[in-house]
Amino acid sequence: MSTAPNEVIILGAGIGGLTLALSLHQAGIACRVYEAVPELRPLGVGINLLPHAVRELSELGLLDALDAVGVRTQEAVFFTEHGQLVFREPAGQHAGYDWPQYSIHRGDLQTVLLNETRKRLGPDSVQCGHRCTGVEQDADGVTVHFADGRAPVRGAVAVGCDGIHSALRKQLYPNEGAPRYSGINMWRGTTAWKPFLSGGSMVRAGWLTVGKMVIYPIRNDIDDQGRQLVNWVAEIHAPQPAMRDWSRAGRLEDFLPAFADWHFDWLDVPALILASDTILEYPMVDQDPLPRWSHGRLTLLGDAAHPMVPRGSNGAGQAIIDARFLAGAMKREGVGIAALDTYDRVRVKATTDVVLTNRSNPPDTILREVFERSGGQRVENLDAIVTQQELQAISDHYKRVAGYDPAALKARASYL
């Protein structure tokens, strides 16, 4: 058995787990990451990092690395299914934040974090091929057990950062059941495409009843034509969920007809979809919020703690904030139960609010308001049915709930 009595054992080398490792290192706290898969590969598609998450990565000194692989988001733009502009607002530093906003490939972000973790903490700081089967705790620490004959490890606390299928979450809540289906299926892909609108625009268009798209670039200058890698997500209400398997290929006939007429002056949407190499299908799911994550010397973080539907660009961001807050609590209160209880008391409430708001009133509520008031019909003067002030209020409310209201974010002290 490997024994490190003061070490934090991190289960999972995703965005949350690696951010926690870097943050603990910054705080002078020993840790080690154990990942279930035999080899870490850059999987996934696009995500957005809002200014509250980028602030934390900036404090870790990662902005240059993010600029090398991501796109600084300039604006958030909303259109009807008829291609009409509904609402536009600047993003990141263009909106007066002290920090940028990024659109980035999830695999690129994970690679940045992994490389920095191994550089700063050492090449053995992330151990792959260690699938957790259970964690025991006693008065002095924790013992983590692994599959396939891997030797158990001993540490001070264990943090489950192992995603929506978390082994530690299942241990703590064995009767929880399957993830909750939102009633929405998603099809996702990436396409090499010439820059559209500002070249850094995050677009939401349409509505779930008839078909909704989220489209944004995640890499710049991917070829000698100056094209970007553009991430797109198609979302449609569906009574039955797709299979929960991120490697499941999607079929064009299941969703493309909803967008067949979306030939807009700012983007030809069906052409974008048809130019994708791979299309994946997945149901939009989350889990009901837990009453607590911390149980003695065990706790959860990121998707293991609060899986949420991706309707507010906040899944990865909240995992990053979890990690920074927890590292700060351990820096102030020591590596033990007190710090985990502080983390639990603050972050469970904060993320519960985000999970529930993502279900009911995320930023794309802007599109719902327009669709419902127009009956899905083209209305030449949209301001006559919903004002820009009403739409701005929806956006501002979400910023407050999710923790990136500009004034509050600037005034908040650093977690570390």
Side-chain angles (χ1 to χ4, degrees), residues 106-118:
R106 178 182 288 274
D108 289 345
L109 174 59
Q110 186 179 19
T111 298
V112 165
L113 295 170
L114 178 63
N115 290 343
E116 286 298 316
T117 299
R118 286 176 167 161

Side-chain angles (χ1 to χ4, degrees), residues 194-205:
K194 60 185 181 297
F196 62 92
L197 296 175
S198 70
S201 301
M202 179 180 181
V203 170
R204 299 177 179 93

Side-chain angles (χ1 to χ4, degrees), residues 26-311:
Q26 188 178 49
I29 297 170
C31 65
R32 192 173 299 271
V33 183
Y34 294 90
E35 167 59 44
V37 302
E39 180 184 1
L40 285 167
R41 294 179 293 162
L43 301 176
V45 283
I47 59 172
N48 280 274
L49 296 175
L50 299 170
H52 58 341
V54 177
R55 173 182 175 173
E56 306 309 321
L57 299 178
S58 175
E59 291 184 8
L60 285 168
L62 297 177
L63 289 197
D64 287 346
L66 295 178
D67 280 325
V69 295
V71 176
R72 290 199 177 205
T73 311
Q74 298 182 35
E75 61 176 358
V77 200
F78 298 78
F79 293 90
T80 69
E81 64 273 25
H82 308 292
Q84 294 173 280
L85 177 64
V86 173
F87 180 71
R88 164 181 267 136
E89 66 175 342
Q93 290 175 314
H94 299 273
Y97 287 96
D98 287 350
W99 306 274
Q101 178 174 326
Y102 286 97
S103 297
I104 190 169
H105 193 292
R106 178 182 288 274
D108 289 345
L109 174 59
Q110 186 179 19
T111 298
V112 165
L113 295 170
L114 178 63
N115 290 343
E116 286 298 316
T117 299
R118 286 176 167 161
K119 176 182 175 182
R120 299 180 191 185
L121 281 69
D124 297 328
S125 56
V126 179
Q127 298 287 318
C128 291
H130 284 72
R131 181 172 62 83
C132 176
T133 58
V135 186
E136 298 173 308
Q137 63 174 316
D138 53 45
D140 300 317
V142 299
T143 303
V144 181
H145 298 275
F146 302 103
D148 303 323
R150 296 280 189 176
V153 296
R154 181 84 175 159
V157 300
V159 185
C161 307
D162 45 349
I164 195 168
H165 302 296
S166 167
L168 188 53
R169 179 172 177 138
K170 289 178 181 177
Q171 176 180 320
L172 297 174
Y173 293 93
N175 300 316
E176 183 179 25
R180 171 189 174 275
Y181 177 51
S182 67
I184 302 164
N185 277 334
M186 302 184 295
W187 293 262
R188 308 189 69 161
T190 57
T191 307
W193 203 257
K194 60 185 181 297
F196 62 92
L197 296 175
S198 70
S201 301
M202 179 180 181
V203 170
R204 299 177 179 93
W207 183 240
L208 298 163
T209 308
V210 294
K212 171 174 166 274
M213 293 289 296
V214 183
I215 308 168
Y216 51 89
I218 56 175
R219 288 182 192 149
N220 285 320
D221 298 318
I222 63 171
D223 57 25
D224 57 10
Q225 301 175 49
R227 293 188 298 177
Q228 298 173 305
L229 187 66
V230 175
N231 182 85
W232 58 264
V233 187
E235 304 171 359
I236 304 175
H237 275 308
Q240 295 297 322
M243 288 180 60
R244 271 193 305 116
D245 176 1
W246 255 124
S247 63
R248 178 181 171 83
R251 302 187 307 169
L252 285 168
E253 58 266 33
D254 290 339
F255 72 100
L256 185 60
F259 308 101
D261 297 328
W262 285 31
H263 305 285
F264 307 137
D265 58 2
W266 48 274
L267 187 65
D268 188 326
V269 174
L272 177 80
I273 294 170
L274 288 168
S276 299
D277 290 333
T278 303
I279 297 171
L280 300 175
E281 179 186 32
Y282 200 72
M284 188 181 290
V285 297
D286 67 3
Q287 291 276 39
D288 288 329
L290 296 174
R292 63 180 296 113
W293 309 334
S294 298
H295 299 255
R297 294 178 175 272
L298 313 178
T299 198
L300 304 171
L301 186 150
D303 281 351
H306 48 74
M308 59 186 67
V309 294
R311 293 179 62 193

